[in-house]
Amino acid sequence: MLAQPGSDFLTNSAALCDAVLRLRGTALTEELGRILRAVLNSPLGEYIPADAVALLLRPPIGTAQAANDDAVPSLSQDLYFDQHFFGRFVVSGRTAYSDLDRQHLSSLASLAASVLQVHSVAQRTTHAYVQVEAQLQHQAQILDQIHESVLTMDMNGFIISWNKGAERLFGYTAVEAVGRNILFLYDDEDMGFHDAFLEQGGRLMEVRRKKKSGEVFWASLSLSPLCDINDRSIGLIAYLTDITERKMAEERIHHLAYYDALTGLPNRTLLTKLVDQALMVAQRNKAHGCVLFIDLNRFKMINDTLGRNIGDALLVEVAHRFRSVLRDQDLVARLGGDEFAVGLFDIGQHFEASMVAQKLLATLNEPIFIDGHDLRVGGSIGISVYPQDGADAETLLRLADIAMYRAKQEGGADGDHVAFYSQDMNQGMQERMRIETGLRNALGNGELLLHYQPKYSIPDGKIIGAEALVRWRHPLRGLVPPSEFIPLAEATGLVVQVGEWVLETACAQAQVWKDAGLPPIRLAVNVSAREFTAALPGRVSETLKRYGLEPTWLELEITESTLMHNIDRVIGIMDRITALGVTLSLDDFGTGYSSLSYLKRFPIDTLKIDRSFTIGIPEDTNDCAIANTIISIAQQLKHKVIAEGVETEAQLAFLKNSGCDEVQGYLFSKPLEADAFERALRENWLPGQSTRAA
């Protein structure tokens, strides 16, 4: 027997709430229909969801009525809550329904609508929460996957969050880091993070931080504000990236840019910056300052003879010695090659710089032992003074360089000397530069020409050759003495271009004389040490072929000093030259560094007695002894001997009696232009003519 309507309304109300919470779709529809039938004690009853009654004509809210007045009695009630429609209850199957039944139906509909409303709101809230949670998880995954470390902290510096990047960078897990103050990551930095500008965000800085392992590294740190929903700052967001490799690379680049790679001393660029800074201090304190420019003596010979490795080791030792005698506040730099510079700015009087210069030279007095070699170098030092000589680093360096050249001139190639800059030094240097510029132009403007000084055979007085001597006919100054431009050409390297021009011009002139029917004579061309390279034999061969000359027309004169650098290489070059049929003459014999043990190995044809020995003959017994010795050595080695600078009959008589083969000098002829030499040669070779040139 069916229960009375509403007899267990509370029980069915609880069942309704449970059904709404647990069930969905058809199961919920059927369960709500069952509860409806039970409450109304009706054999027929169902819950029609809102979407199923969308096509039905809905009656006004809150009414319950028979579905059809002419049919079997039935009741229906729509489920509304806060204007939200959730469906309809419909019951039938009884002969009649009372007002109480309608009340129960209305109450059940109200309960069902309110529960469905609450459940709908809960569903939407839960869905929104799930979405927010999913979004947060997604953002957390992104933060954990990026390489950059990201952490947040409150206004007191206590860490709030710590991503995987921070774990990888610092080595601390989030559990270890969160809650600790950020200062535990600092590398002994006594600085807080409270900064109004930082709290506004956007500041980027490079800092040192410490890992869990204790390793200190460089990091790029960017700080942004952490704000609440009211846009009030509640902390900071820190982004950190390890830039240790970049900083190390920058330090290496900085070192390469500002320090000499060999000695570790500042280079010219850094010296200039430091000197200019020191000059600003000196100006405020009204103090003196000095720049010393140091050039080593004999270094080039050591470097060329023993090799670059020995030369580099020598420079390192010199740098160490210089640094050892200077004060910490003094500057010392390597400018390049064998040139150093020292800056002195904490001195009372400028003359104190000369005492420092002597201390620097004194460090070079002791021999330097490298790989078993006992090496000795000296130095020439030029000094410029602030403020009277200049007010900036570049000016002081330039003037000290000029003074150094004066010191080298006064001290000689091997003598240690110190000189202060003065105005006459500057004028001399400017004159030197004018000559250098003019000489460069002379090569292209046809201002160079050759004079030929005849060489005579002592036994028969015949001209057997000539020495080609370069002359410079300046458009304004006239003939420039060789003593002015030849040393300059050697110092600047222009001697190579001049030498090439001399060889070319001499061979061209020889071709003219050959075509004119003159007898073959040896034209001697001087070869400098800079020209004496592996390329020389090929250049000589090509030049002879170009002018159709036999090798007997050419002789190369080489100085002793040229031969004393890498003996085996030099002999190899000499052998290639003599293989062409070109003869070699050793010029200025006795004035250089030649060893007799090497002399016998050189494939030379002639030894030339320097005029410094000839000029004292026969009065100077030492010159006579030297000349006799040279002649004797040449005879033993089966070399011919020629004496230059012969100006008197007495000199000629002595040389002839001593066995000298050839002579040249003003006693016979001065250097002649090509036409004059040709006339002298024709007259000398015609029978009955004087054996002495006009």
Side-chain angles (χ1 to χ4, degrees), residues 225-536:
L226 179 65
C227 300
D228 60 12
I229 59 175
N230 296 318
D231 205 28
R232 291 178 301 187
S233 181
I234 59 173
L236 293 170
I237 306 172
Y239 307 87
L240 293 104
T241 304
D242 190 339
I243 59 169
T244 303
E245 290 188 6
R246 195 200 79 195
K247 291 292 289 186
M248 293 177 63
E250 288 177 354
E251 290 176 1
R252 288 194 295 269
I253 293 172
H254 179 273
H255 196 274
L256 290 173
Y258 291 106
Y259 289 87
D260 173 50
L262 178 63
T263 63
L265 295 177
N267 60 15
R268 187 185 188 102
T269 302
L270 181 56
L271 176 72
T272 301
K273 292 177 178 293
L274 295 176
V275 168
D276 281 332
Q277 292 173 7
L279 288 176
M280 293 176 64
V281 177
Q283 184 180 22
R284 288 195 299 267
N285 298 336
K286 297 182 179 180
H288 289 279
C290 294
V291 170
L292 285 64
F293 196 107
I294 309 161
D295 183 81
L296 299 182
N297 298 330
R298 300 184 293 278
F299 172 78
K300 186 178 186 305
M301 182 185 69
I302 294 172
N303 198 54
D304 292 345
T305 304
L306 301 179
R308 183 172 179 176
N309 290 338
I310 299 295
D312 286 351
L314 175 61
L315 291 173
V316 171
E317 175 60 22
V318 169
H320 173 72
R321 292 189 180 189
F322 283 172
R323 184 70 269 176
S324 67
V325 298
L326 294 171
R327 302 167 302 176
D328 291 340
Q329 63 266 38
D330 296 333
L331 303 175
V332 58
R334 181 184 176 218
L335 305 180
D338 61 346
E339 294 178 339
F340 295 82
V342 171
L344 307 174
F345 298 97
D346 187 17
I347 57 176
Q349 298 293 331
H350 68 269
F351 62 79
E352 295 177 18
S354 63
M355 295 186 288
V356 175
Q358 294 300 332
K359 288 172 62 176
L360 293 171
L361 293 178
T363 65
L364 304 177
N365 290 337
E366 292 296 323
I368 300 174
F369 296 97
I370 300 175
D371 288 350
H373 298 284
D374 182 350
L375 306 178
R376 298 172 186 269
V377 292
S380 300
I381 301 180
I383 304 173
S384 60
V385 180
Y386 169 84
Q388 52 262 50
D389 292 337
D392 61 87
E394 284 295 341
T395 301
L396 292 173
L397 274 172
R398 178 173 57 84
L399 300 184
D401 188 10
I402 295 173
M404 182 276 295
Y405 274 101
R406 172 61 63 86
K408 192 172 284 290
Q409 291 172 357
E410 294 177 350
D414 298 329
D416 298 344
H417 201 75
V418 178
F420 279 87
Y421 170 78
S422 64
Q423 189 60 34
D424 64 307
M425 292 182 200
N426 189 32
Q427 292 173 350
M429 186 58 60
Q430 290 175 349
E431 177 64 20
R432 181 178 182 271
M433 293 177 63
R434 281 196 294 269
I435 293 175
E436 179 182 346
T437 302
L439 183 57
R440 291 182 187 277
N441 294 332
L443 284 164
N445 296 339
E447 297 173 13
L448 298 183
L449 69 155
L450 287 183
H451 283 184
Y452 302 88
Q453 185 167 36
K455 295 182 178 181
Y456 290 84
S457 169
I458 290 180
D460 59 13
K462 294 291 186 181
I463 296 177
I464 46 84
E467 180 178 3
L469 300 171
V470 64
R471 296 292 185 261
W472 178 12
R473 182 171 286 135
H474 194 279
L476 299 177
R477 300 176 57 193
L479 276 178
V480 180
S483 58
E484 285 191 20
F485 70 89
I486 294 299
L488 180 62
E490 292 177 347
T492 59
L494 284 172
V495 71
V496 175
Q497 295 169 262
V498 173
E500 291 175 352
W501 180 88
V502 170
L503 176 63
E504 191 77 19
T505 305
C507 288
Q509 183 61 59
Q511 181 192 34
V512 172
W513 287 334
K514 175 184 175 181
D515 294 343
L518 291 177
I521 59 170
R522 285 179 296 156
L523 282 182
V525 173
N526 291 282
V527 177
S528 69
R530 288 179 180 264
E531 294 179 87
F532 204 81
T533 66
L536 180 61

Side-chain angles (χ1 to χ4, degrees), residues 47-352:
Y47 165 68
I48 304 172
D51 54 355
V53 296
L55 300 178
L56 298 178
L57 180 62
R58 294 196 294 263
I61 296 174
T63 62
Q65 62 181 24
N68 190 332
D69 294 340
D70 298 331
V72 178
S74 65
L75 293 176
S76 67
Q77 180 71 45
D78 287 345
L79 280 64
Y80 272 95
F81 190 92
D82 287 344
Q83 303 299 318
H84 293 285
F85 178 62
F86 293 98
R88 178 175 295 168
F89 282 147
V90 178
V91 294
S92 63
R94 288 173 53 186
T95 58
Y97 291 96
S98 65
D99 290 339
L100 182 60
D101 291 330
R102 290 183 176 86
Q103 291 176 4
H104 285 164
L105 178 60
S106 177
S107 297
L108 184 64
S110 296
L111 176 62
S114 64
V115 173
L116 287 171
Q117 169 71 5
V118 171
H119 182 261
S120 176
V121 172
Q123 276 189 314
R124 289 196 301 271
T125 303
T126 302
H127 181 68
Y129 174 78
V130 170
Q131 286 185 319
V132 170
E133 187 177 46
Q135 186 177 9
L136 290 174
Q137 289 179 347
H138 181 64
Q139 291 175 345
Q141 288 178 5
I142 294 174
L143 286 176
D144 286 340
Q145 290 302 317
I146 64 175
H147 179 72
E148 193 174 43
S149 63
V150 182
L151 58 98
T152 60
M153 66 192 94
D154 64 18
M155 299 299 292
N156 295 314
F158 289 95
I159 297 172
I160 302 171
S161 67
W162 184 268
N163 78 333
K164 293 292 185 182
E167 290 187 1
R168 290 189 294 269
L169 180 60
F170 288 97
Y172 294 99
T173 65
V175 174
E176 294 173 306
V178 173
R180 299 181 66 177
N181 194 282
I182 193 70
L183 293 175
F184 84 101
L185 300 175
Y186 281 32
D187 172 41
D188 300 328
E189 294 185 26
D190 186 20
M191 56 179 291
F193 56 88
H194 288 294
D195 187 316
F197 184 74
L198 294 186
E199 293 172 5
Q200 295 170 10
R203 181 166 179 180
L204 183 67
M205 66 192 83
E206 295 179 353
V207 296
R208 290 170 64 86
R209 292 293 182 261
K210 185 167 55 180
K211 297 185 179 183
K212 184 177 181 180
S213 63
E215 176 189 351
V216 176
F217 66 99
W218 279 99
S220 173
L221 171 63
S222 176
L223 293 170
S224 298
L226 179 65
C227 300
D228 60 12
I229 59 175
N230 296 318
D231 205 28
R232 291 178 301 187
S233 181
I234 59 173
L236 293 170
I237 306 172
Y239 307 87
L240 293 104
T241 304
D242 190 339
I243 59 169
T244 303
E245 290 188 6
R246 195 200 79 195
K247 291 292 289 186
M248 293 177 63
E250 288 177 354
E251 290 176 1
R252 288 194 295 269
I253 293 172
H254 179 273
H255 196 274
L256 290 173
Y258 291 106
Y259 289 87
D260 173 50
L262 178 63
T263 63
L265 295 177
N267 60 15
R268 187 185 188 102
T269 302
L270 181 56
L271 176 72
T272 301
K273 292 177 178 293
L274 295 176
V275 168
D276 281 332
Q277 292 173 7
L279 288 176
M280 293 176 64
V281 177
Q283 184 180 22
R284 288 195 299 267
N285 298 336
K286 297 182 179 180
H288 289 279
C290 294
V291 170
L292 285 64
F293 196 107
I294 309 161
D295 183 81
L296 299 182
N297 298 330
R298 300 184 293 278
F299 172 78
K300 186 178 186 305
M301 182 185 69
I302 294 172
N303 198 54
D304 292 345
T305 304
L306 301 179
R308 183 172 179 176
N309 290 338
I310 299 295
D312 286 351
L314 175 61
L315 291 173
V316 171
E317 175 60 22
V318 169
H320 173 72
R321 292 189 180 189
F322 283 172
R323 184 70 269 176
S324 67
V325 298
L326 294 171
R327 302 167 302 176
D328 291 340
Q329 63 266 38
D330 296 333
L331 303 175
V332 58
R334 181 184 176 218
L335 305 180
D338 61 346
E339 294 178 339
F340 295 82
V342 171
L344 307 174
F345 298 97
D346 187 17
I347 57 176
Q349 298 293 331
H350 68 269
F351 62 79
E352 295 177 18

